[in-house]
Amino acid sequence: MQVTDKLTKALTEAKYLNADNVSRYRCIMRIFFENYEKLRYWLYQEEVYAQMVQDPFFADYKPEQCQQDLAMLVEWKNLNTIQDTRKVSSIEEFKNKKFRYQMSEYSVEIERLVLRLENLFIEGASLEPTLLERIRINIARFPQMADEDINHVYTWWNDLNNDFVRLNQNYQDYIRDLNSVKAEEMMHTKEFLVFKDRLVEYLRNFIRGLQRNVGVIEEDLRTLEDENKQQVFEKIVQYELLIPRMDVEVSRELLEEKTKGRFQSIYEWFVSSNGEENEAGKLFDATNEIIRRITRYAAQLSEKNAFGANRREEYRKVAELFLKCKDVQQAHRMSAMVFGLERPYHLKGDLVRETDSMNQSVYEERPFEVMLKPRVRTYREKSSRSAIRESAEEKQRTRRQMIEKQKEDMRKLRELESDGKIDFSTLPVIEPDVREILLKWISDAMENPAGAARTEDGRYYMLDMSRKEERCVVHCEDGNFTMPRLAIVFQEEV
């Protein structure tokens, strides 16, 4: 960031938003803005005052106060003023200075921002797959823009940037709303079940749009030629330089930097680079995670509603049936019907019968046991505790076996030596274990700048790489491999 005078000076145009008489200042500026939208740029003090007193809130508002408020807004550069001399008929009227007032450019933009903030939660955000399709179509037209005139190129460039800004802002606002505390609370209410399916379908429709368009956009952006991009950027900058600007001087370097920066933002949004996931992929994952969370909350709500169902009416109906029973026996049968095993659960398992006799009752056989486990995420089986075993003898036996194996490997390696060195080009067929040891010795020596290391039994050796340009084949019991011609030379320490 480069610090300029614009960044260091105070923004006096925004003072009216937090001044002492903010209610009066903001209402006056809103009157000017509403008239500005109707193309009425100039207002008299009398017109402002008449619109102010129409609201009962300003019933005690005085013309002198209106004049003071307008003067203060002029001082803060929110209003521009000019003296109206067309209707002056005397020197006294000229001295009274009948002014007309107009909003400054800064004030227009500030009021637009304030109006947007006021309607922020009313307008809301959305996920529009059509924006992705339009961006895909415009990106596909990128190579053609090199041959178009600058007017057509600039219109295309504005459309592409506007769609990209809308897509980026809308998806961030929408995902933020779905992850907010208010949305979290709403997902735990019964009303959430009403539009759950509609919300999930809306998100899945957007995901389908991502899957259809993002891959095509990424491929088109990757295949763009640098020369083609420079031609298009040059036409955009040329058009920008031809736009007449009042009291503003824009350099070519600044316009080029802005244009390339906007393209780079679009490129990084759709294209993965440096091993990092692009923004489209992050959006895809975030949307899928929201769908999973919505489905989980809906399932929990359904289970909660089923578990807490009100059985009062059912019990009342059962009581009426009992009252209609003729005698106790019929009441017993009714009790067996209502509270008995009318619909028993059948548990099926790998039951092994002790006998195949059809005359033996199931009550005479051994019961089949079924271990039931809680169906909750936090359930963990208890680990069985066992005493610490004394394994000193087993450790000693394992240690003796490892020492014997190491001695046997060293013996096989010494048999491969010839004149104090092991030349890989003259090795016979070796075992896999021996090969692993030799390759480890090479690795240890190459990690040392001096090209030397020690074996497991303490012998000092150097790696001879004088003939590494040549190739040799090492034959092993499980296969052959080609490597540079190296040699391990053992040396006596001084």
Side-chain angles (χ1 to χ4, degrees):
M1 182 189 70
Q2 185 178 3
V3 179
T4 61
D5 295 339
K6 293 182 179 179
L7 290 177
T8 55
K9 74 173 185 178
L11 194 63
T12 58
E13 289 85 353
K15 282 187 177 181
Y16 78 94
L17 295 174
N18 292 293
D20 292 337
N21 297 321
V22 62
S23 59
R24 284 156 38 185
Y25 295 139
R26 288 196 60 185
C27 290
I28 291 175
M29 294 304 297
R30 185 56 56 86
I31 290 172
F32 273 96
F33 182 75
E34 290 175 354
N35 282 274
Y36 179 89
E37 294 290 306
K38 299 173 185 176
L39 306 182
R40 292 189 64 219
Y41 302 123
W42 294 94
L43 295 177
Y44 289 98
Q45 174 186 331
E46 292 79 8
E47 295 174 325
V48 176
Y49 177 76
Q51 294 190 43
M52 288 284 286
V53 295
Q54 287 178 2
D55 196 305
F57 184 80
F58 295 103
D60 299 331
Y61 195 52
K62 306 298 181 184
E64 294 78 12
Q65 292 176 312
C66 182
Q67 184 177 4
Q68 293 173 3
D69 293 341
L70 291 173
M72 187 57 67
L73 290 171
V74 171
E75 183 179 344
W76 288 336
K77 301 179 183 178
N78 295 112
L79 298 177
N80 298 323
T81 181
I82 186 173
Q83 186 175 3
D84 187 5
T85 59
R86 293 180 301 172
K87 299 181 181 181
V88 174
S89 58
S90 64
I91 296 177
E92 287 76 12
E93 291 181 0
F94 184 82
K95 289 181 178 180
N96 288 334
K97 293 183 180 179
K98 189 177 182 66
F99 290 110
R100 290 192 302 162
Y101 299 90
Q102 180 192 41
M103 288 185 76
S104 63
E105 294 179 358
Y106 268 48
S107 299
V108 173
E109 296 301 327
I110 291 173
E111 275 299 306
R112 282 177 179 162
L113 173 62
V114 171
L115 197 62
R116 184 173 179 271
L117 291 175
E118 292 173 358
N119 298 324
L120 184 62
F121 297 103
I122 298 176
E123 295 176 358
S126 60
L127 299 175
E128 302 179 34
T130 54
L131 288 176
L132 287 166
E133 295 178 5
R134 290 169 56 179
I135 291 174
R136 174 179 57 81
I137 294 172
N138 281 328
I139 291 294
R141 295 171 57 197
F142 201 109
Q144 305 173 10
M145 293 299 113
D147 301 326
E148 299 287 343
D149 63 278
I150 60 175
N151 296 320
H152 188 71
V153 171
Y154 191 74
T155 303
W156 162 83
W157 178 248
N158 272 341
D159 292 341
L160 175 61
N161 278 273
N162 291 336
D163 289 340
F164 176 71
V165 169
R166 284 180 56 196
L167 172 67
N168 203 24
Q169 292 179 350
N170 285 356
Y171 106 79
Q172 290 179 358
D173 293 344
Y174 196 80
I175 297 298
R176 178 201 62 200
D177 292 342
L178 289 178
N179 288 316
S180 64
V181 176
K182 184 177 179 181
E184 194 80 13
E185 293 175 352
M186 188 266 293
M187 288 181 186
H188 288 87
T189 60
K190 295 181 181 179
E191 291 77 9
F192 174 66
L193 295 175
V194 177
F195 66 97
K196 182 263 297 184
D197 294 335
R198 189 155 50 98
L199 178 58
V200 171
E201 181 60 28
Y202 180 75
L203 294 174
R204 285 177 176 166
N205 185 40
F206 180 72
I207 287 179
R208 286 192 289 268
L210 279 174
Q211 293 172 333
R212 284 195 302 267
N213 297 292
V214 170
V216 180
I217 296 174
E218 181 177 1
E219 184 64 23
D220 289 343
L221 289 172
R222 286 185 184 275
T223 55
L224 283 177
E225 298 180 359
D226 292 338
E227 182 180 356
N228 185 272
K229 289 190 291 187
Q230 292 301 327
Q231 293 175 352
V232 175
F233 293 158
E234 179 62 25
K235 291 187 176 183
I236 297 170
V237 172
Q238 288 179 6
Y239 188 93
E240 291 269 8
L241 291 172
L242 293 176
I243 299 175
R245 292 180 173 86
M246 302 282 294
D247 300 329
V248 177
E249 192 171 332
V250 182
S251 63
R252 169 179 282 271
E253 291 77 13
L254 184 63
L255 292 175
E256 290 178 350
E257 182 181 354
K258 182 186 74 171
T259 304
K260 293 179 180 178
R262 289 185 175 181
F263 176 80
Q264 189 63 27
S265 298
I266 297 174
Y267 186 88
E268 293 174 355
W269 208 95
F270 291 101
V271 180
S272 303
S273 59
N274 300 326
E276 296 182 0
E277 189 177 21
N278 56 18
E279 198 68 24
K282 294 177 183 178
L283 174 58
F284 183 83
D285 295 339
T287 311
N288 274 326
E289 178 59 31
I290 290 173
I291 292 176
R292 285 193 291 270
R293 189 177 51 169
I294 290 172
T295 307
R296 185 169 66 250
Y297 284 158
Q300 292 174 358
L301 282 173
S302 300
E303 292 177 2
K304 182 178 179 181
N305 293 338
F307 180 77
N310 190 353
R311 300 294 181 88
R312 180 180 301 174
E313 295 298 327
E314 296 181 11
Y315 291 147
R316 182 176 296 171
K317 183 65 176 178
V318 170
E320 293 175 357
L321 293 175
F322 272 104
L323 289 175
K324 293 179 181 179
C325 292
K326 297 179 180 179
D327 50 25
V328 176
Q329 294 301 323
Q330 189 176 3
H332 285 327
R333 289 194 294 273
M334 178 64 68
S335 176
M337 178 68 180
V338 175
F339 301 108
L341 296 176
E342 179 198 4
R343 297 177 182 177
Y345 288 98
H346 296 275
L347 300 178
K348 183 172 62 175
D350 298 330
L351 178 64
V352 179
R353 296 191 61 187
E354 297 178 354
T355 177
D356 294 332
S357 174
M358 60 181 296
N359 297 321
Q360 185 171 356
S361 172
V362 293
Y363 295 102
E364 298 176 4
E365 298 187 11
R366 297 177 59 184
F368 176 69
E369 296 182 357
V370 178
M371 183 67 68
L372 300 179
K373 298 180 181 179
R375 299 178 62 183
V376 295
R377 295 177 180 271
T378 57
Y379 173 73
R380 295 290 184 274
E381 292 187 7
K382 292 183 179 180
S383 57
S384 59
R385 298 180 180 178
S386 59
I388 300 176
R389 293 188 302 108
E390 177 64 33
S391 56
E393 294 184 3
E394 186 178 351
K395 291 180 180 179
Q396 290 294 333
R397 184 171 60 255
T398 304
R399 183 173 179 273
R400 287 194 298 268
Q401 292 175 356
M402 291 180 62
I403 292 175
E404 291 297 327
K405 185 178 185 308
Q406 187 177 7
K407 288 181 179 180
E408 180 66 19
D409 290 340
M410 291 299 108
R411 184 187 63 79
K412 294 177 181 179
L413 289 167
R414 286 185 179 273
E415 293 178 355
L416 300 177
E417 290 186 30
S418 178
D419 298 331
K421 67 177 182 179
I422 298 177
D423 191 345
F424 283 85
S425 62
T426 60
L427 288 178
V429 179
I430 60 177
E431 299 176 1
D433 293 343
V434 176
R435 178 190 65 213
E436 296 298 327
I437 296 173
L438 291 174
L439 292 178
K440 181 179 181 301
W441 287 358
I442 293 176
S443 176
D444 294 343
M446 295 184 70
E447 290 178 358
N448 191 341
R454 290 183 182 275
T455 64
E456 287 76 1
D457 56 351
R459 297 180 66 191
Y460 184 79
Y461 66 90
M462 298 282 293
L463 186 63
D464 184 6
M465 303 178 63
S466 59
R467 305 176 69 180
K468 66 178 181 179
E469 302 298 331
E470 302 179 17
R471 314 293 290 180
C472 65
V473 179
V474 178
H475 302 277
C476 307
E477 292 181 353
D478 56 350
N480 305 327
F481 70 95
T482 305
M483 61 174 287
R485 184 172 180 178
L486 304 177
I488 295 175
V489 182
F490 296 96
Q491 297 182 353
E492 296 294 335
E493 292 189 71
V494 180

